[in-house]
Amino acid sequence: MRFQGSFSTPPVVQNIIILNVLFFMAEMILPARMGDWMFTNLGLYFWESGNFHLHQLVTHMFMHANLTHLFMNMFALWMFGRTLEYELGSKRFLIYYMVTGVGAALIQLGVTWLQVDSMSSAAFVDQAKLQSLIYAPMIGASGAVFGVLLAFGMMHPNAILMLLIPPIPIKAKYLVIGYGVLELFLGTTGLQSGVAHFAHLGGMLWGFFLLRYWKKRGDIYY
């Protein structure tokens, strides 16, 4: 595993974090109408909402709901993304991050379309849930961050990580598998509403196929 110092941060990870912080500061500092404009135009909306624009596939990755949301995503990116950027190179890491983020958004839109279609044809329609699916925006870098986590687990499967709760060591491959199973469970059961679980899975899925493609071509080794 290649590390360049305990706290060094390569340029792509550093600039992604800076951009996310700047976007969040704009959300907090700008007048309410401008903040609302940012969410309406930069968050990712379902295409039937009337608010969907293609650029939202990218811009939603830089919007966050609150400070905790921002911190958790950026901390995970900093923890795992630094090693990956040093190993993949800055250009390839940026491509990976953007592909998994956009791919996560596409997966979530596809799942939303299936859910809306299923609910619309049902005998009884939960209008509140249907309206939420259509008009609630998806924001956050979580899809790309889950892609980063997947890449770390694939490239360093036996690296020992220390969980916070509970404080026990675990191999990276088991952490990734555990997160994948948990996200699939929460996404299919709906026990944790308001979270784009299938976007998280989508980021991991796109990351898996992209890494396998690069490995098959001989561009990367792990």
Side-chain angles (χ1 to χ4, degrees), residues 188-204:
T188 53
T189 60
L191 291 178
Q192 189 181 28
S193 60
V195 178
H197 296 290
F198 288 102
H200 300 168
L201 289 169
M204 299 176 84

PDB file of all heavy atoms in Angstrom, residues 188-204:
ATOM      1  N   THR A 188     -34.090  -2.055  -0.204  1.00  0.00           N
ATOM      2  CA  THR A 188     -35.230  -2.903  -0.581  1.00  0.00           C
ATOM      3  C   THR A 188     -36.333  -2.901   0.467  1.00  0.00           C
ATOM      4  O   THR A 188     -37.500  -3.080   0.132  1.00  0.00           O
ATOM      5  CB  THR A 188     -34.769  -4.352  -0.825  1.00  0.00           C
ATOM      6  OG1 THR A 188     -34.041  -4.814   0.320  1.00  0.00           O
ATOM      7  CG2 THR A 188     -33.883  -4.427  -2.049  1.00  0.00           C
ATOM      8  N   THR A 189     -35.973  -2.699   1.729  1.00  0.00           N
ATOM      9  CA  THR A 189     -36.985  -2.718   2.794  1.00  0.00           C
ATOM     10  C   THR A 189     -37.585  -1.352   3.064  1.00  0.00           C
ATOM     11  O   THR A 189     -38.697  -1.256   3.599  1.00  0.00           O
ATOM     12  CB  THR A 189     -36.385  -3.252   4.104  1.00  0.00           C
ATOM     13  OG1 THR A 189     -35.298  -2.403   4.514  1.00  0.00           O
ATOM     14  CG2 THR A 189     -35.885  -4.684   3.923  1.00  0.00           C
ATOM     15  N   GLY A 190     -36.862  -0.282   2.704  1.00  0.00           N
ATOM     16  CA  GLY A 190     -37.360   1.060   2.966  1.00  0.00           C
ATOM     17  C   GLY A 190     -37.321   1.453   4.418  1.00  0.00           C
ATOM     18  O   GLY A 190     -38.008   2.402   4.830  1.00  0.00           O
ATOM     19  N   LEU A 191     -36.512   0.760   5.234  1.00  0.00           N
ATOM     20  CA  LEU A 191     -36.450   1.058   6.663  1.00  0.00           C
ATOM     21  C   LEU A 191     -35.814   2.408   6.954  1.00  0.00           C
ATOM     22  O   LEU A 191     -36.101   3.019   7.980  1.00  0.00           O
ATOM     23  CB  LEU A 191     -35.678  -0.048   7.397  1.00  0.00           C
ATOM     24  CG  LEU A 191     -36.367  -1.416   7.466  1.00  0.00           C
ATOM     25  CD1 LEU A 191     -35.470  -2.429   8.170  1.00  0.00           C
ATOM     26  CD2 LEU A 191     -37.704  -1.302   8.194  1.00  0.00           C
ATOM     27  N   GLN A 192     -34.950   2.877   6.066  1.00  0.00           N
ATOM     28  CA  GLN A 192     -34.315   4.184   6.242  1.00  0.00           C
ATOM     29  C   GLN A 192     -34.662   5.041   5.038  1.00  0.00           C
ATOM     30  O   GLN A 192     -33.925   5.120   4.071  1.00  0.00           O
ATOM     31  CB  GLN A 192     -32.794   4.035   6.394  1.00  0.00           C
ATOM     32  CG  GLN A 192     -32.102   5.330   6.799  1.00  0.00           C
ATOM     33  CD  GLN A 192     -30.595   5.170   6.912  1.00  0.00           C
ATOM     34  OE1 GLN A 192     -29.990   4.328   6.250  1.00  0.00           O
ATOM     35  NE2 GLN A 192     -29.975   5.968   7.760  1.00  0.00           N
ATOM     36  N   SER A 193     -35.800   5.696   5.114  1.00  0.00           N
ATOM     37  CA  SER A 193     -36.268   6.508   3.997  1.00  0.00           C
ATOM     38  C   SER A 193     -35.486   7.817   3.933  1.00  0.00           C
ATOM     39  O   SER A 193     -34.868   8.243   4.907  1.00  0.00           O
ATOM     40  CB  SER A 193     -37.763   6.802   4.144  1.00  0.00           C
ATOM     41  OG  SER A 193     -38.015   7.502   5.354  1.00  0.00           O
ATOM     42  N   GLY A 194     -35.530   8.443   2.783  1.00  0.00           N
ATOM     43  CA  GLY A 194     -34.852   9.720   2.616  1.00  0.00           C
ATOM     44  C   GLY A 194     -33.372   9.596   2.293  1.00  0.00           C
ATOM     45  O   GLY A 194     -32.676  10.601   2.188  1.00  0.00           O
ATOM     46  N   VAL A 195     -32.886   8.373   2.137  1.00  0.00           N
ATOM     47  CA  VAL A 195     -31.487   8.127   1.789  1.00  0.00           C
ATOM     48  C   VAL A 195     -31.453   7.356   0.471  1.00  0.00           C
ATOM     49  O   VAL A 195     -32.188   6.379   0.297  1.00  0.00           O
ATOM     50  CB  VAL A 195     -30.752   7.326   2.888  1.00  0.00           C
ATOM     51  CG1 VAL A 195     -29.321   7.039   2.470  1.00  0.00           C
ATOM     52  CG2 VAL A 195     -30.794   8.079   4.211  1.00  0.00           C
ATOM     53  N   ALA A 196     -30.586   7.788  -0.449  1.00  0.00           N
ATOM     54  CA  ALA A 196     -30.504   7.156  -1.774  1.00  0.00           C
ATOM     55  C   ALA A 196     -29.612   5.923  -1.707  1.00  0.00           C
ATOM     56  O   ALA A 196     -28.481   5.927  -2.204  1.00  0.00           O
ATOM     57  CB  ALA A 196     -29.983   8.154  -2.796  1.00  0.00           C
ATOM     58  N   HIS A 197     -30.130   4.850  -1.122  1.00  0.00           N
ATOM     59  CA  HIS A 197     -29.331   3.638  -0.928  1.00  0.00           C
ATOM     60  C   HIS A 197     -28.894   3.024  -2.251  1.00  0.00           C
ATOM     61  O   HIS A 197     -27.786   2.480  -2.357  1.00  0.00           O
ATOM     62  CB  HIS A 197     -30.122   2.615  -0.116  1.00  0.00           C
ATOM     63  CG  HIS A 197     -30.442   3.065   1.269  1.00  0.00           C
ATOM     64  ND1 HIS A 197     -29.490   3.199   2.246  1.00  0.00           N
ATOM     65  CD2 HIS A 197     -31.625   3.430   1.840  1.00  0.00           C
ATOM     66  CE1 HIS A 197     -30.058   3.607   3.359  1.00  0.00           C
ATOM     67  NE2 HIS A 197     -31.351   3.765   3.144  1.00  0.00           N
ATOM     68  N   PHE A 198     -29.743   3.102  -3.263  1.00  0.00           N
ATOM     69  CA  PHE A 198     -29.380   2.502  -4.540  1.00  0.00           C
ATOM     70  C   PHE A 198     -28.324   3.337  -5.276  1.00  0.00           C
ATOM     71  O   PHE A 198     -27.612   2.816  -6.127  1.00  0.00           O
ATOM     72  CB  PHE A 198     -30.619   2.289  -5.406  1.00  0.00           C
ATOM     73  CG  PHE A 198     -31.494   1.174  -4.904  1.00  0.00           C
ATOM     74  CD1 PHE A 198     -32.652   1.434  -4.192  1.00  0.00           C
ATOM     75  CD2 PHE A 198     -31.124  -0.147  -5.110  1.00  0.00           C
ATOM     76  CE1 PHE A 198     -33.449   0.402  -3.717  1.00  0.00           C
ATOM     77  CE2 PHE A 198     -31.911  -1.193  -4.640  1.00  0.00           C
ATOM     78  CZ  PHE A 198     -33.076  -0.917  -3.923  1.00  0.00           C
ATOM     79  N   ALA A 199     -28.217   4.618  -4.939  1.00  0.00           N
ATOM     80  CA  ALA A 199     -27.110   5.417  -5.467  1.00  0.00           C
ATOM     81  C   ALA A 199     -25.794   4.934  -4.875  1.00  0.00           C
ATOM     82  O   ALA A 199     -24.780   4.849  -5.567  1.00  0.00           O
ATOM     83  CB  ALA A 199     -27.324   6.893  -5.144  1.00  0.00           C
ATOM     84  N   HIS A 200     -25.807   4.598  -3.579  1.00  0.00           N
ATOM     85  CA  HIS A 200     -24.607   4.056  -2.939  1.00  0.00           C
ATOM     86  C   HIS A 200     -24.193   2.751  -3.618  1.00  0.00           C
ATOM     87  O   HIS A 200     -23.022   2.546  -3.948  1.00  0.00           O
ATOM     88  CB  HIS A 200     -24.869   3.805  -1.454  1.00  0.00           C
ATOM     89  CG  HIS A 200     -25.250   5.037  -0.701  1.00  0.00           C
ATOM     90  ND1 HIS A 200     -25.759   4.997   0.577  1.00  0.00           N
ATOM     91  CD2 HIS A 200     -25.189   6.356  -1.041  1.00  0.00           C
ATOM     92  CE1 HIS A 200     -26.003   6.223   0.990  1.00  0.00           C
ATOM     93  NE2 HIS A 200     -25.671   7.068   0.028  1.00  0.00           N
ATOM     94  N   LEU A 201     -25.173   1.885  -3.820  1.00  0.00           N
ATOM     95  CA  LEU A 201     -24.889   0.621  -4.506  1.00  0.00           C
ATOM     96  C   LEU A 201     -24.453   0.867  -5.949  1.00  0.00           C
ATOM     97  O   LEU A 201     -23.578   0.171  -6.470  1.00  0.00           O
ATOM     98  CB  LEU A 201     -26.134  -0.270  -4.488  1.00  0.00           C
ATOM     99  CG  LEU A 201     -26.511  -0.872  -3.125  1.00  0.00           C
ATOM    100  CD1 LEU A 201     -27.899  -1.488  -3.195  1.00  0.00           C
ATOM    101  CD2 LEU A 201     -25.488  -1.922  -2.702  1.00  0.00           C
ATOM    102  N   GLY A 202     -25.056   1.864  -6.579  1.00  0.00           N
ATOM    103  CA  GLY A 202     -24.694   2.188  -7.954  1.00  0.00           C
ATOM    104  C   GLY A 202     -23.248   2.643  -8.073  1.00  0.00           C
ATOM    105  O   GLY A 202     -22.544   2.273  -9.020  1.00  0.00           O
ATOM    106  N   GLY A 203     -22.793   3.460  -7.119  1.00  0.00           N
ATOM    107  CA  GLY A 203     -21.404   3.887  -7.125  1.00  0.00           C
ATOM    108  C   GLY A 203     -20.454   2.715  -6.993  1.00  0.00           C
ATOM    109  O   GLY A 203     -19.424   2.643  -7.674  1.00  0.00           O
ATOM    110  N   MET A 204     -20.808   1.764  -6.142  1.00  0.00           N
ATOM    111  CA  MET A 204     -19.985   0.567  -5.967  1.00  0.00           C
ATOM    112  C   MET A 204     -20.010  -0.296  -7.222  1.00  0.00           C
ATOM    113  O   MET A 204     -18.981  -0.846  -7.642  1.00  0.00           O
ATOM    114  CB  MET A 204     -20.471  -0.231  -4.755  1.00  0.00           C
ATOM    115  CG  MET A 204     -20.382   0.524  -3.445  1.00  0.00           C
ATOM    116  SD  MET A 204     -21.075  -0.383  -2.027  1.00  0.00           S
ATOM    117  CE  MET A 204     -19.667  -1.399  -1.587  1.00  0.00           C
TER     118      MET A 204
END
